[in-house]
């Protein structure tokens, strides 16, 4: 018994060509499979995994930054934090005094309040802020510096000696730029 395969050959070649074309078409349509390899469709839909919305699609991009809140004070509306680029006094650490809203409350150890005031005045001037007012030392040994930027941005810095520590309280107005 002889099997004649010649008449069937064009049909097999055509079917194979169609399968390759479909596989290549699937690859160019965004398939994540390997070229030329197809996998059967699942019988039921598989669950979709959704990641965080702040994950960048561009490998060089960073997630969107979230701005801090704002609070109202007698001096005006302030940011509830200072930007990462804000001047840092050596050895400072965050603290709480319970005195109300502030952009930052820092303990700078036993540093001399006059030296700390000089540091902030110079740092703000170096950053392009003008000293609007400077007061101190007061009767309690504290200093206060009010600085202003090119726009309506203002910073109020109070340096207060307290029981062996010097506390720096910063109010950073909400109309100041905030970059993280």
């Amino acid at each position: 018994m002889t099997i004649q395969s010649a008449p069937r050959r064009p049909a097999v070649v055509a079917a194979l060509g169609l399968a390759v074309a479909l596989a290549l078409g699937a690859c160019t349509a965004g398939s994540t499979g390997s070229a030329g390899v197809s996998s059967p469709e699942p019988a039921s839909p598989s669950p979709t995994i959704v990641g965080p919305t702040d994950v960048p699609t561009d490998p060089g991009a960073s997630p969107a930054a979230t701005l801090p809140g704002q609070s109202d004070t007698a001096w005006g509306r302030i940011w509830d934090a200072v930007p990462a680029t804000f001047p840092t006094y050596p050895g400072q650490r965050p603290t709480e005094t319970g005195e109300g809203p502030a952009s930052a409350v820092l303990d700078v150890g036993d540093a001399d309040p006059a030296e700390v005031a000089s540091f902030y005045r110079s740092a703000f001037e170096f950053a392009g802020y003008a000293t609007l007012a400077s007061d101190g030392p007061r009767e309690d040994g504290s200093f206060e510096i009010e600085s202003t930027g090119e726009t309506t941005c203002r910073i109020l810095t109070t340096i207060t000696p307290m029981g062996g520590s010097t506390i720096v309280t910063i109010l950073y107005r909400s109309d100041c730029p905030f970059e993280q």
Side-chain angles (χ1 to χ4, degrees), residues 67-140:
L67 294 175
Q70 297 180 354
S71 296
D72 292 315
T73 69
W75 187 67
R77 190 160 185 78
I78 63 168
W79 289 104
D80 291 335
V82 294
T85 57
F86 206 80
T88 303
Y89 190 82
Q92 76 179 29
R93 61 184 185 276
T95 191
E96 292 289 328
T97 61
E99 296 291 321
S103 302
V105 180
L106 309 166
D107 183 340
V108 295
D110 62 354
D112 177 36
E115 181 182 306
V116 176
S118 178
F119 167 82
Y120 279 105
R121 189 173 25 256
S122 295
F124 293 147
E125 288 173 358
F126 182 77
Y129 290 84
T131 301
L132 202 63
S134 184
D135 184 22
R138 298 176 176 162
E139 284 184 29
D140 64 356

